[in-house]
Amino acid sequence: MQECSWQLKKILHGYRHILKQRLHSCPDLVSFMVELKTILEIALKNTEELHIQRPPEYYSCLVRDLEILGWNKVAYVDTSLTTIKLKAEDSCGRQHLITLKLNAKYPTEPPDCLVDFPVQFAISWMPQNSLIDIHNQFLAALESLKEFWDAMDEIDGKTWVLEPENPTRSATTRRIAIGNNISVTIEVDPRHPNMLPECYFLGADHVVNPLRTKLNNNMHLWDPKISLLQNLKDVLEIDFPSRAVLEESDFTKDCGICYAYRLDGTTPDQVCDDPRCGQPFHQACLYEWLQGLPSSRQSFNVIFGECPYCNKPLTLKSSMKKL
């Protein structure tokens, strides 16, 4: 790369790590030249797409639209004026961004819109439309999701959410701590956030079975007129622990195999059913452990083995969605 021409170096700038890999893996110079030709073709194609000449009308129209929209609503514009991020605030004061990728035919053709939504966002577009129309449709979509985000924000603020650690606005699931190595994962419908969500309990059977029974017996009490969190409390007849009053160590334990709490973003979600043991494990750790035992056996997606601590029989399913 140091000896080639500056034009070639510029084209291959973002492909140096690939070239090094190919150089080390190719058995001879001819093989490497074939690989280099393929990489160059890809690089040239991407370079051409990045530098498509746009007519002067494109820039004048875009700048006019930005001025009419108001620069206070613009969070980012790239130097080539092809990527724009607009910001908006919903009625509850939450900040949101929409990323626009404009092609050379704007405004005849609409830009691609990227949003952090739990549902698909599609804009209605006519050639005479502008960025104002996109921003207005964005605001309307934000309000349509207000109840969903209200429900998720209440859960995030008043319970101890184990996963996801840093939920995005598009995340529809929450794994909520109930007690020591007991949790429930809920899957919320963003279009109907106050309806009964899918609930998957995680923990030892002797602890979670009573919760399943309460859910089945009390689900007729679910009231869409009250909040999702309050409904969960009423139906399960529990109070969820809060970050405001408890420490993480009050109800969480490290995995009994890897001795860590978080592993690739996940927390221990498998627990030994023996009340005298109750040791938690990451699913991936327990699966690897059981696979390594000569006494374990597997049938389809279920593996049968023994707890590493108390030797009580364990059953591990590849899918953890249990009700």
Side-chain angles (χ1 to χ4, degrees), residues 181-199:
N181 297 309
I182 315 156
S183 60
V184 60
T185 297
I186 61 170
E187 176 74 37
V188 182
D189 182 348
R191 293 301 188 191
H192 307 283
N194 288 331
M195 300 301 289
L196 176 64
E198 294 285 343
C199 297

PDB file of all heavy atoms in Angstrom, residues 181-199:
ATOM      1  N   ASN A 181     -32.919 -13.800  41.970  1.00  0.00           N
ATOM      2  CA  ASN A 181     -32.880 -14.729  40.832  1.00  0.00           C
ATOM      3  C   ASN A 181     -34.262 -15.092  40.319  1.00  0.00           C
ATOM      4  O   ASN A 181     -34.493 -16.194  39.817  1.00  0.00           O
ATOM      5  CB  ASN A 181     -32.096 -15.997  41.201  1.00  0.00           C
ATOM      6  CG  ASN A 181     -30.654 -15.697  41.507  1.00  0.00           C
ATOM      7  OD1 ASN A 181     -29.968 -15.044  40.729  1.00  0.00           O
ATOM      8  ND2 ASN A 181     -30.192 -16.123  42.677  1.00  0.00           N
ATOM      9  N   ILE A 182     -35.209 -14.177  40.463  1.00  0.00           N
ATOM     10  CA  ILE A 182     -36.546 -14.339  39.907  1.00  0.00           C
ATOM     11  C   ILE A 182     -36.844 -13.095  39.077  1.00  0.00           C
ATOM     12  O   ILE A 182     -36.647 -11.969  39.545  1.00  0.00           O
ATOM     13  CB  ILE A 182     -37.626 -14.464  40.999  1.00  0.00           C
ATOM     14  CG1 ILE A 182     -37.187 -15.422  42.099  1.00  0.00           C
ATOM     15  CG2 ILE A 182     -38.952 -14.905  40.413  1.00  0.00           C
ATOM     16  CD1 ILE A 182     -37.872 -15.176  43.407  1.00  0.00           C
ATOM     17  N   SER A 183     -37.300 -13.278  37.868  1.00  0.00           N
ATOM     18  CA  SER A 183     -37.616 -12.137  37.007  1.00  0.00           C
ATOM     19  C   SER A 183     -38.719 -12.514  36.036  1.00  0.00           C
ATOM     20  O   SER A 183     -39.066 -13.689  35.885  1.00  0.00           O
ATOM     21  CB  SER A 183     -36.363 -11.681  36.245  1.00  0.00           C
ATOM     22  OG  SER A 183     -35.861 -12.718  35.424  1.00  0.00           O
ATOM     23  N   VAL A 184     -39.269 -11.495  35.398  1.00  0.00           N
ATOM     24  CA  VAL A 184     -40.279 -11.718  34.369  1.00  0.00           C
ATOM     25  C   VAL A 184     -39.905 -10.885  33.151  1.00  0.00           C
ATOM     26  O   VAL A 184     -39.524  -9.720  33.271  1.00  0.00           O
ATOM     27  CB  VAL A 184     -41.700 -11.353  34.867  1.00  0.00           C
ATOM     28  CG1 VAL A 184     -41.789  -9.888  35.282  1.00  0.00           C
ATOM     29  CG2 VAL A 184     -42.748 -11.661  33.793  1.00  0.00           C
ATOM     30  N   THR A 185     -39.948 -11.505  31.993  1.00  0.00           N
ATOM     31  CA  THR A 185     -39.738 -10.784  30.731  1.00  0.00           C
ATOM     32  C   THR A 185     -41.093 -10.502  30.119  1.00  0.00           C
ATOM     33  O   THR A 185     -41.903 -11.421  29.933  1.00  0.00           O
ATOM     34  CB  THR A 185     -38.881 -11.612  29.759  1.00  0.00           C
ATOM     35  OG1 THR A 185     -37.582 -11.818  30.322  1.00  0.00           O
ATOM     36  CG2 THR A 185     -38.722 -10.886  28.423  1.00  0.00           C
ATOM     37  N   ILE A 186     -41.353  -9.238  29.830  1.00  0.00           N
ATOM     38  CA  ILE A 186     -42.627  -8.865  29.212  1.00  0.00           C
ATOM     39  C   ILE A 186     -42.376  -8.382  27.791  1.00  0.00           C
ATOM     40  O   ILE A 186     -41.380  -7.730  27.506  1.00  0.00           O
ATOM     41  CB  ILE A 186     -43.366  -7.786  30.029  1.00  0.00           C
ATOM     42  CG1 ILE A 186     -42.534  -6.497  30.125  1.00  0.00           C
ATOM     43  CG2 ILE A 186     -43.722  -8.302  31.417  1.00  0.00           C
ATOM     44  CD1 ILE A 186     -43.300  -5.316  30.710  1.00  0.00           C
ATOM     45  N   GLU A 187     -43.274  -8.738  26.904  1.00  0.00           N
ATOM     46  CA  GLU A 187     -43.239  -8.302  25.500  1.00  0.00           C
ATOM     47  C   GLU A 187     -44.472  -7.437  25.280  1.00  0.00           C
ATOM     48  O   GLU A 187     -45.600  -7.921  25.288  1.00  0.00           O
ATOM     49  CB  GLU A 187     -43.254  -9.509  24.562  1.00  0.00           C
ATOM     50  CG  GLU A 187     -43.311  -9.175  23.085  1.00  0.00           C
ATOM     51  CD  GLU A 187     -42.003  -8.650  22.528  1.00  0.00           C
ATOM     52  OE1 GLU A 187     -40.947  -9.145  22.962  1.00  0.00           O
ATOM     53  OE2 GLU A 187     -42.034  -7.747  21.670  1.00  0.00           O
ATOM     54  N   VAL A 188     -44.263  -6.122  25.112  1.00  0.00           N
ATOM     55  CA  VAL A 188     -45.356  -5.156  25.055  1.00  0.00           C
ATOM     56  C   VAL A 188     -45.710  -4.846  23.606  1.00  0.00           C
ATOM     57  O   VAL A 188     -44.824  -4.628  22.767  1.00  0.00           O
ATOM     58  CB  VAL A 188     -44.978  -3.859  25.795  1.00  0.00           C
ATOM     59  CG1 VAL A 188     -46.126  -2.862  25.779  1.00  0.00           C
ATOM     60  CG2 VAL A 188     -44.558  -4.168  27.232  1.00  0.00           C
ATOM     61  N   ASP A 189     -47.005  -4.816  23.318  1.00  0.00           N
ATOM     62  CA  ASP A 189     -47.486  -4.448  21.986  1.00  0.00           C
ATOM     63  C   ASP A 189     -47.469  -2.922  21.894  1.00  0.00           C
ATOM     64  O   ASP A 189     -48.224  -2.250  22.598  1.00  0.00           O
ATOM     65  CB  ASP A 189     -48.904  -4.978  21.782  1.00  0.00           C
ATOM     66  CG  ASP A 189     -49.448  -4.673  20.387  1.00  0.00           C
ATOM     67  OD1 ASP A 189     -48.828  -3.871  19.657  1.00  0.00           O
ATOM     68  OD2 ASP A 189     -50.503  -5.234  20.028  1.00  0.00           O
ATOM     69  N   PRO A 190     -46.623  -2.333  21.030  1.00  0.00           N
ATOM     70  CA  PRO A 190     -46.532  -0.867  20.985  1.00  0.00           C
ATOM     71  C   PRO A 190     -47.821  -0.184  20.536  1.00  0.00           C
ATOM     72  O   PRO A 190     -48.044   0.978  20.858  1.00  0.00           O
ATOM     73  CB  PRO A 190     -45.394  -0.613  19.985  1.00  0.00           C
ATOM     74  CG  PRO A 190     -45.265  -1.868  19.204  1.00  0.00           C
ATOM     75  CD  PRO A 190     -45.682  -2.978  20.098  1.00  0.00           C
ATOM     76  N   ARG A 191     -48.677  -0.910  19.812  1.00  0.00           N
ATOM     77  CA  ARG A 191     -49.952  -0.329  19.378  1.00  0.00           C
ATOM     78  C   ARG A 191     -51.015  -0.421  20.464  1.00  0.00           C
ATOM     79  O   ARG A 191     -51.990   0.336  20.453  1.00  0.00           O
ATOM     80  CB  ARG A 191     -50.449  -1.034  18.109  1.00  0.00           C
ATOM     81  CG  ARG A 191     -49.586  -0.799  16.874  1.00  0.00           C
ATOM     82  CD  ARG A 191     -49.494   0.665  16.530  1.00  0.00           C
ATOM     83  NE  ARG A 191     -48.821   0.905  15.256  1.00  0.00           N
ATOM     84  CZ  ARG A 191     -48.426   2.102  14.839  1.00  0.00           C
ATOM     85  NH1 ARG A 191     -48.602   3.165  15.626  1.00  0.00           N
ATOM     86  NH2 ARG A 191     -47.827   2.247  13.678  1.00  0.00           N
ATOM     87  N   HIS A 192     -50.854  -1.353  21.388  1.00  0.00           N
ATOM     88  CA  HIS A 192     -51.805  -1.530  22.486  1.00  0.00           C
ATOM     89  C   HIS A 192     -51.022  -1.753  23.783  1.00  0.00           C
ATOM     90  O   HIS A 192     -51.074  -2.833  24.371  1.00  0.00           O
ATOM     91  CB  HIS A 192     -52.741  -2.708  22.197  1.00  0.00           C
ATOM     92  CG  HIS A 192     -53.435  -2.618  20.871  1.00  0.00           C
ATOM     93  ND1 HIS A 192     -54.516  -1.779  20.648  1.00  0.00           N
ATOM     94  CD2 HIS A 192     -53.192  -3.241  19.690  1.00  0.00           C
ATOM     95  CE1 HIS A 192     -54.916  -1.896  19.390  1.00  0.00           C
ATOM     96  NE2 HIS A 192     -54.133  -2.772  18.790  1.00  0.00           N
ATOM     97  N   PRO A 193     -50.313  -0.735  24.250  1.00  0.00           N
ATOM     98  CA  PRO A 193     -49.375  -0.918  25.356  1.00  0.00           C
ATOM     99  C   PRO A 193     -50.022  -1.205  26.703  1.00  0.00           C
ATOM    100  O   PRO A 193     -49.359  -1.715  27.607  1.00  0.00           O
ATOM    101  CB  PRO A 193     -48.606   0.416  25.381  1.00  0.00           C
ATOM    102  CG  PRO A 193     -49.539   1.397  24.759  1.00  0.00           C
ATOM    103  CD  PRO A 193     -50.283   0.639  23.714  1.00  0.00           C
ATOM    104  N   ASN A 194     -51.305  -0.877  26.861  1.00  0.00           N
ATOM    105  CA  ASN A 194     -51.950  -1.110  28.150  1.00  0.00           C
ATOM    106  C   ASN A 194     -52.726  -2.419  28.194  1.00  0.00           C
ATOM    107  O   ASN A 194     -53.437  -2.684  29.172  1.00  0.00           O
ATOM    108  CB  ASN A 194     -52.876   0.062  28.496  1.00  0.00           C
ATOM    109  CG  ASN A 194     -52.095   1.319  28.868  1.00  0.00           C
ATOM    110  OD1 ASN A 194     -50.984   1.221  29.375  1.00  0.00           O
ATOM    111  ND2 ASN A 194     -52.650   2.480  28.588  1.00  0.00           N
ATOM    112  N   MET A 195     -52.579  -3.240  27.157  1.00  0.00           N
ATOM    113  CA  MET A 195     -53.175  -4.562  27.168  1.00  0.00           C
ATOM    114  C   MET A 195     -52.210  -5.548  27.829  1.00  0.00           C
ATOM    115  O   MET A 195     -51.016  -5.279  27.957  1.00  0.00           O
ATOM    116  CB  MET A 195     -53.516  -5.015  25.748  1.00  0.00           C
ATOM    117  CG  MET A 195     -54.499  -4.097  25.020  1.00  0.00           C
ATOM    118  SD  MET A 195     -56.081  -3.922  25.874  1.00  0.00           S
ATOM    119  CE  MET A 195     -56.778  -5.548  25.585  1.00  0.00           C
ATOM    120  N   LEU A 196     -52.737  -6.697  28.242  1.00  0.00           N
ATOM    121  CA  LEU A 196     -51.909  -7.708  28.897  1.00  0.00           C
ATOM    122  C   LEU A 196     -50.777  -8.133  27.967  1.00  0.00           C
ATOM    123  O   LEU A 196     -51.018  -8.638  26.877  1.00  0.00           O
ATOM    124  CB  LEU A 196     -52.770  -8.916  29.266  1.00  0.00           C
ATOM    125  CG  LEU A 196     -52.043 -10.121  29.879  1.00  0.00           C
ATOM    126  CD1 LEU A 196     -51.432  -9.742  31.221  1.00  0.00           C
ATOM    127  CD2 LEU A 196     -52.991 -11.301  30.023  1.00  0.00           C
ATOM    128  N   PRO A 197     -49.509  -7.946  28.379  1.00  0.00           N
ATOM    129  CA  PRO A 197     -48.382  -8.330  27.509  1.00  0.00           C
ATOM    130  C   PRO A 197     -48.071  -9.820  27.644  1.00  0.00           C
ATOM    131  O   PRO A 197     -48.560 -10.496  28.556  1.00  0.00           O
ATOM    132  CB  PRO A 197     -47.230  -7.491  28.062  1.00  0.00           C
ATOM    133  CG  PRO A 197     -47.539  -7.371  29.521  1.00  0.00           C
ATOM    134  CD  PRO A 197     -49.050  -7.330  29.637  1.00  0.00           C
ATOM    135  N   GLU A 198     -47.241 -10.321  26.735  1.00  0.00           N
ATOM    136  CA  GLU A 198     -46.713 -11.671  26.885  1.00  0.00           C
ATOM    137  C   GLU A 198     -45.762 -11.664  28.077  1.00  0.00           C
ATOM    138  O   GLU A 198     -44.934 -10.767  28.218  1.00  0.00           O
ATOM    139  CB  GLU A 198     -45.957 -12.089  25.622  1.00  0.00           C
ATOM    140  CG  GLU A 198     -46.840 -12.240  24.377  1.00  0.00           C
ATOM    141  CD  GLU A 198     -47.661 -13.510  24.414  1.00  0.00           C
ATOM    142  OE1 GLU A 198     -47.326 -14.415  25.209  1.00  0.00           O
ATOM    143  OE2 GLU A 198     -48.642 -13.593  23.661  1.00  0.00           O
ATOM    144  N   CYS A 199     -45.890 -12.657  28.954  1.00  0.00           N
ATOM    145  CA  CYS A 199     -45.062 -12.722  30.164  1.00  0.00           C
ATOM    146  C   CYS A 199     -44.314 -14.051  30.223  1.00  0.00           C
ATOM    147  O   CYS A 199     -44.933 -15.117  30.096  1.00  0.00           O
ATOM    148  CB  CYS A 199     -45.919 -12.575  31.418  1.00  0.00           C
ATOM    149  SG  CYS A 199     -46.763 -10.984  31.574  1.00  0.00           S
TER     150      CYS A 199
END
